[in-house]
Amino acid sequence: MADFERSDNSLLYVQVADFVREKIYSHEWGVDERIPSEHELMAMLHLSRGTVQKGIRSLVDEGLLVQQRGRGTYVVQPIMARPTSNHLLSFAESMASQGIPYTTVVVESRVEPANKACAWALQIPRGTPYLYLARVRSVFGEPVMFIESHIAMSRCPGIEEVDFTAEGLFEAVARTSGQKIGYSNQVYSACVCGKRRAEWLQCDERSPALQMDQTVYLEDGTPFEWGSIWMPANRCVISSSTQRD
């Protein structure tokens, strides 16, 4: 195990957090594994209990660690894997394929006029009404996904009346548009959650998140959804299986 080297460039508790984070990122301390106790870390790093506690607490707030009363502090195990493939799957379809139960809560639903960016993404005239839909998806009682969707109502008549706690977006769009879902363009980014999304995801606003921007198209090539999906990094992972030619 690498020695802890103090630096004058940052606070000691930040250096503790950096040291522990590196152990996790390098897989020296694995997922679902108990890390050394506070006393062990104090002896290992030659630091006070208060400094060690503050460093560990910052990683708990980040979502990398979880403290279990009477058991110790553990590296967090992600609770959901979202597989990638050449097939476009909704969250509901992805969870069903893995046999994972989930719940959906609609936190915002309103009709708004499209601004310049939304109009461009959905290929509709500026000012055209669209449906803004924000949902939180939870697995085993833990929020794992915050979804913001901008939906072209003209292509999905009656979409604003759908109960999205009971019906998935892709299913509702296929039903109201009379078309199959075609394809999507997706871009992934690493971000921090920020205050608003952290509230819905029940995590610290500085917690790392995987953010996916996507535009989804009907089978005739017209876009019907433009939005973002936010997934806390400690609860979700992206899985992929590829074959060498």
Side-chain angles (χ1 to χ4, degrees), residues 9-89:
N9 297 326
S10 61
L11 298 171
L12 278 176
Y13 85 89
V14 174
Q15 295 178 53
V16 172
D18 289 342
F19 175 82
V20 175
R21 190 187 295 107
E22 179 56 33
K23 296 300 180 187
I24 296 169
Y25 285 173
S26 65
H27 302 296
E28 290 184 49
W29 297 346
V31 166
D32 229 13
E33 181 179 315
R34 188 177 71 84
I35 70 168
S37 68
E38 288 179 3
H39 289 291
E40 289 171 327
L41 286 171
M42 289 163 58
M44 183 188 306
L45 307 179
H46 306 291
L47 294 173
S48 70
R49 185 174 185 178
T51 299
V52 168
Q53 285 180 329
K54 194 170 183 180
I56 295 302
R57 169 48 58 185
S58 69
L59 294 183
V60 171
D61 291 340
E62 249 181 56
L64 283 178
L65 297 173
V66 61
Q67 292 178 315
Q68 300 179 11
R69 190 177 182 86
R71 295 192 62 209
T73 303
Y74 289 76
V75 180
V76 167
Q77 166 71 60
I79 60 176
M80 186 195 80
R82 183 176 174 85
T84 61
S85 69
N86 291 327
H87 302 287
L88 176 59
L89 293 177

Side-chain angles (χ1 to χ4, degrees), residues 92 118 123 215:
C118 184
Q123 298 176 20
T215 305

Side-chain angles (χ1 to χ4, degrees), residues 104-160:
T104 301
V105 175
V106 176
V107 295
E108 286 188 54
S109 179
R110 61 180 184 269
V111 175
E112 293 189 344
N115 61 18
K116 182 178 180 180
C118 184
W120 182 84
L122 292 175
Q123 298 176 20
I124 57 177
R126 190 170 181 176
T128 301
Y130 73 91
L131 175 65
Y132 173 80
L133 180 68
R135 293 162 289 164
V136 175
R137 292 270 170 75
S138 297
V139 173
F140 305 129
E142 290 274 2
V144 297
M145 190 175 289
F146 178 64
I147 310 168
E148 295 178 283
S149 300
H150 306 72
I151 304 164
M153 296 166 55
S154 59
R155 292 170 189 147
C156 318
I159 194 74
E160 70 276 11

